[in-house]
Amino acid sequence: MDIQIRDATEADLPAIVDIYNQSIPAGWSTADTKPVTVADRVEWFRKFDPVRRPLWVAEVDGQVVAWAGLTSFYAGRPAYDATAEVSMYIATAYHRRGIGRQLKQWVIEQCPRLGVTTLLSMHFDHNEATRKINESLGFQQVGHLTEIAVVQGHKRGLVISALRIPAQSAPAG
Ligand SMILES: CC(C)(COP(=O)(O)OP(=O)(O)OC[C@H]1O[C@@H](n2cnc3c(N)ncnc32)[C@H](O)[C@@H]1OP(=O)(O)O)[C@@H](O)C(=O)NCCC(=O)NCCS
């Protein structure tokens, strides 16, 4: 499926929140159990930064159908500046059309210019789609915290996967 990816703007926030909320009932992607509002997410949105930790949206025919974002690891401690966590959400109606894999591949390609050399992906251990995408893109599972969350009454484990990305070399001359 043909997608266009661009930096998100605050005008995209209603679509971003709507897509996020669509994932809550399935209970396999987010630890939130109640829908979030646009107001809840304004501060969150403003912490993204196109230069280091962007939030992107993917459009199909001019409609936002997915988003992906990078956040700093370990509350932004400086020693981990080159490490970021990727999160992504696809509108339910657009699942299983290859958008998740395409979007994550695109995020990986942006990492060198963002100074990210370790990309982390954290997901519940029953999130089969994310596991498949990560495996196919070269992520290695580096941790599995079993029974660390309770979602809709079920104990869930968290898988941590990492992808090492070569640093961008300085331009010659
Ligand atoms: C996880 C998610 C991003 C996957 O996006 P997607 O566009 O549906 O995934 P793709 O179409 O690229 O499919 C990738 C693979 O996962 C498989 N897959 C997709 N949904 C699946 C599901 N519900 N169960 C099992 N496998 C699934 C696909 O068949 C494909 O398999 P393949 O490698 O054998 O070809 C999407 O389901 C989503 O937004 N989920 C809610 C949020 C979430 O889980 N985010 C990740 C944690 S931040």
Side-chain angles (χ1 to χ4, degrees), residues 23 28-29 86-90 94-101 122-123 127-130 132-133:
S23 72
W28 52 278
S29 51
V86 55
S87 305
M88 70 168 54
Y89 290 78
I90 319 292
Y94 288 83
H95 281 187
R96 290 184 173 250
R97 299 190 195 193
I99 294 177
R101 182 173 281 120
M122 303 198 195
H123 61 86
N127 189 333
E128 191 64 12
T130 301
K132 282 183 164 180
I133 291 172

Side-chain angles (χ1 to χ4, degrees), residues 6 19 25 31 45 53 65 78 86 93 101 106 114 133:
R6 59 170 174 82
I19 292 167
F45 177 88
R53 299 290 186 255
V65 300
V86 55
R101 182 173 281 120
W106 191 87
L114 301 168
I133 291 172

